[in-house]
């Protein structure tokens, strides 16, 4: 399933892959100086320069600790053994549009947003096919039953609408979103904060295997990289970048999901937050996102679809309202009808006094109500029809 | 407690009250033509003109059904017997600022917003004192336990902050808001869609009595007027006008609370809506108000206070975030600390490779972490402090 890079010979492609493997391991992401250097010099010349220590000071600082301890060939071999493949920007399947925004952000003013130098992928789907149609669904690990329910609903609904659900495979909202997508038979991508070969969290080993079969487990960290606290935050920018929109389902006041939302916001991508009970700590982050204007309030999958494509006319957008038989009445006719409700057989004059409308008008409206089946005239006078 | 109108003789004041009583009964509110006529001619001349049938056609239409069937004196006597008093715009206690907005709206483009011609009040508090400090709290009759809890919290908190809670005395949110205010020992006002002498809903007879003792039960309908469906919507404009802001706590897709919110919005007053579970039909209206931009999302009383007085600096506005010992660390120090978490005694070189920071920097940061009590050095190397 690996796609050969267009117009490149096999040997050159192998060199590029080894160089990218080395570069992806030699600096801790995000590595804005190294990313800029690679973008300028190309991966092979950049990797060679790093190995020889002939790099600008900013790059040197990023690679110093590992330059002599990483081998691209060894990482590729380890990946092969673990069932992980490398996907590089030179591949046809590289999701160009997804990560171009990160490179732009890095080169302008957000070094922390630097693009990944390669992706390590478990799963045979083409990366671009999955990530190119992504919507991020993220949220609290310690989600409530409500949060997991809503996450699964969004995961399912977005998948049915043709989007791939991108998340972080964590317990709680992430897992529920992936499961909702899988249940709908769609593709879903899990970005890990460790090597793609590591089942993290361990309790999601089975979920990660299923994701691999229907979608992708992805990481910018080479195989074997253990999870570290800061890597979760760093990883979040890739989730934000892979989503055309980011939906936050339950997030505490201090949460990784809010961090992902902020990344999406910084990348100019729409953020939606699902509200919940104000008595729940799990929704504090979502409400804060809406109050601060960083997120749009979302209650249904349709809210996301509408935002992604404002021209979607077929989507019923307003809440459905039950119709009442009196809905089509004019305000005056409704007043007459209201007055009848209080009457058990009333003369037109009494009805007029009750509702305060001129007698002539009431006399004209009563037969109309009768015709509509809303009023009856008996020997005792006018009443609402039973 | 009745305040004599400033600068008026006793006899003239009695004439004004009788005229206003007659006018308030002779047309079904809202009566924009009559209100405009009264504003122009004054209540005594206006009442006389109505009695004689010498009024412009618009006014004639509003008063035709009742002109000969209403007596101001009789209404005043009935009110007296029922423990209800009339409050007129000529009284010192008339809440001028509250209803001026309605008159403006009526005269410009919103005839449905016409000001009341008099208020019928149960309770001895001065109307201006209560309504002049009002915040409206409204919502679903068939509220959930969650909705009633939140309404009571807002009622209580707003009262503690010095505001009077204005609502409609209905079951559900309204009642809970009144009760929260009463529990805080504050004033609260209930606007009824029937005469102020009628306990509506009947199940709230006791609540209405307590409201009367601590605050006011108010209506623009003369004593004895029965509740009618359209009167609830018409009444809502008075609740909206009496609130410096309107807080909607639970509202279905089709709800009177949304109607009150729209009135407040039309009067240029801020609207806040409390979110709830997206799975609850009771919150659909609140979420729709926020999504459409008509309401600001509110999760706490402080959100209302902040909106009413953006200068309230003492109010802690962000959600409270638990502090962590590592919060003050620089990003680099946090990375070093993260690397230590995975290590059970590590050399500085290993830490540097793990976190990808230059060795020199790691060597400088480790003793700092030790000093902060976050790292320990043993014979096996560096670890996080237990």
């Amino acid at each position: 399933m690996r796609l050969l890079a267009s117009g490149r010979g096999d040997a050159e492609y192998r060199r590029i892959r080894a160089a990218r493997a080395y570069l992806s391991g030699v600096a801790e992401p995000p590595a804005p100086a190294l990313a800029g250097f690679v973008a300028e010099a190309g991966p092979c010349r950049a990797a060679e320069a790093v190995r020889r220590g002939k790099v600008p000071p900013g790059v040197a600082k990023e690679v110093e600790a590992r330059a002599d301890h990483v081998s691209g060939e060894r990482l590729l071999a380890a990946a092969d053994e673990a069932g992980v493949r490398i996907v590089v920007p030179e591949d046809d399947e590289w999701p160009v549009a997804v990560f171009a925004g990160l490179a732009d952000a890095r080169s302008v003013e957000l070094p922390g947003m630097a693009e990944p130098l390669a992706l390590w992928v478990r799963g045979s789907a083409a990366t671009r096919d999955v990530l190119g149609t992504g919507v991020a669904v993220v949220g609290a690990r310690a989600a409530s039953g409500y949060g997991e329910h809503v996450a699964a609903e969004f995961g399912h609904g977005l998948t049915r609408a043709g989007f791939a659900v991108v998340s972080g495979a964590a317990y709680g909202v992430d897992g529920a979103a992936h499961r909702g997508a899988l249940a709908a038979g769609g593709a879903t991508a899990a970005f890990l904060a460790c090597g793609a070969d590591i089942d993290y969290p361990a309790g999601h080993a089975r979920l990660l295997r299923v994701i691999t079969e229907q979608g992708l487990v992805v990481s910018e960290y080479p195989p074997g990289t253990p999870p570290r606290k800061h890597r979760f935050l760093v990883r979040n920018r890739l989730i934000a970048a892979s989503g055309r929109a980011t939906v936050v389902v339950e997030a505490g006041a201090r949460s990784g999901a809010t961090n992902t939302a902020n990344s999406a916001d910084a990348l100019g991508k729409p953020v939606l937050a699902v509200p919940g009970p104000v008595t729940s700590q799990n929704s504090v982050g979502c409400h804060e996102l809406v109050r601060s204007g960083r997120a749009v309030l979302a209650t249904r999958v349709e809210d996301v679809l509408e935002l992604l494509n404002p021209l979607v006319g077929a989507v019923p957008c307003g809440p459905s309202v039950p119709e009442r038989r009196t809905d089509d009445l004019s305000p005056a006719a409704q007043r007459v009808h209201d007055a009848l409700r209080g009457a058990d057989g009333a003369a037109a004059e009494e009805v007029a006094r009750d509702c305060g409308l001129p007698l002539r008008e009431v006399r004209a409206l009563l037969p109309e109500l009768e015709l509509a089946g809303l009023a009856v005239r008996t020997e005792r006078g006018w009443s609402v029809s039973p």
Side-chain angles (χ1 to χ4, degrees), chain A:
Chain A
M1 289 300 291
R2 182 173 303 140
L3 300 167
L4 279 180
S6 345
R8 284 198 176 83
D10 224 34
E12 190 193 349
Y13 180 57
R14 269 199 303 271
R15 270 205 310 280
I16 290 174
R17 287 173 63 231
R20 288 267 178 196
Y22 174 75
L23 292 164
S24 103
V26 80
E28 179 73 19
L34 181 61
F37 186 58
V38 172
E40 223 169 84
C44 297
R45 283 174 53 203
E48 193 53 31
V50 169
R51 260 186 226 107
R52 293 190 183 176
K54 306 262 190 233
V55 288
V59 179
K61 209 187 153 193
E62 288 175 0
V63 301
E64 184 199 304
R66 297 184 192 156
D68 301 331
H69 298 271
V70 171
S71 150
E73 298 297 344
R74 267 210 313 273
L75 286 176
L76 287 172
D80 224 38
E81 201 160 317
V84 171
R85 63 199 171 88
I86 193 172
V87 177
V88 295
E90 292 76 12
D91 279 316
D92 285 337
E93 68 165 302
W94 181 261
V96 181
V98 169
F99 297 120
L102 290 174
D104 291 346
R106 184 255 307 155
S107 67
V108 184
E109 46 179 348
L110 297 165
M113 283 290 174
E115 68 273 30
L117 295 162
L119 292 178
W120 302 87
V121 174
R122 213 179 352 148
S124 55
T127 312
R128 180 149 69 184
D129 291 352
V130 179
L131 299 186
T133 60
V135 170
V137 179
V138 296
R141 265 189 290 269
S144 69
Y146 163 71
E148 296 203 1
H149 169 79
V150 172
E153 288 283 314
F154 273 80
H156 195 273
L158 288 167
T159 303
R160 293 289 296 264
F163 292 98
V165 171
V166 178
S167 194
Y171 292 126
V173 166
D174 287 16
H178 287 304
R179 282 195 193 92
L182 293 169
T188 183
F191 274 95
L192 302 191
C194 55
D197 58 322
I198 298 174
D199 285 331
Y200 189 91
H204 274 178
R206 212 183 136 269
L207 173 64
L208 287 164
R209 201 170 61 240
V210 182
I211 292 176
T212 303
E213 284 158 15
Q214 271 181 240
L216 297 172
V217 173
V218 192
S219 177
E220 68 178 319
Y221 300 100
T225 308
R228 291 277 180 269
K229 213 166 92 186
H230 74 272
R231 287 184 186 139
F232 288 89
L233 295 179
V234 169
R235 175 272 315 259
N236 287 347
R237 80 194 196 290
L238 303 185
I239 294 176
S242 301
R244 294 182 183 200
T246 292
V247 182
V248 183
V249 182
E250 283 202 335
R254 167 183 197 133
S255 92
T258 309
N259 169 267
T260 309
N262 290 342
S263 294
D265 197 32
L267 291 170
K269 293 176 168 238
V271 178
L272 301 99
V274 178
V278 297
T279 47
S280 164
Q281 284 307 310
N282 273 321
S283 291
V284 169
C286 290
H287 296 153
E288 207 35 46
L289 282 170
V290 173
R291 276 183 57 75
S292 65
R294 280 171 294 164
V296 169
L297 187 142
T299 65
R300 310 170 305 155
V301 171
E302 287 79 359
D303 294 340
V304 187
L305 305 182
E306 201 190 337
L307 199 73
L308 290 175
N309 182 5
L311 302 177
V312 176
V315 174
C317 286
S320 68
V321 171
E323 276 182 40
R324 289 185 196 149
R325 286 177 67 205
T326 51
D327 275 0
D328 294 333
L329 296 180
S330 69
Q334 289 207 15
R335 269 165 71 175
V336 172
H337 188 256
D338 284 355
L340 286 183
R341 282 178 188 240
D344 182 23
E349 288 79 5
E350 292 172 81
V351 175
R353 278 200 299 280
D354 187 292
C355 68
L357 285 170
L359 181 59
R360 199 163 358 113
E361 203 171 331
V362 171
R363 282 211 172 111
L365 287 167
L366 282 168
E368 275 185 37
L369 288 171
E370 189 180 25
L371 219 65
L374 293 164
V376 286
R377 186 187 341 211
T378 66
E379 49 198 27
R380 281 175 24 241
W382 288 93
S383 313
V384 284
S385 62

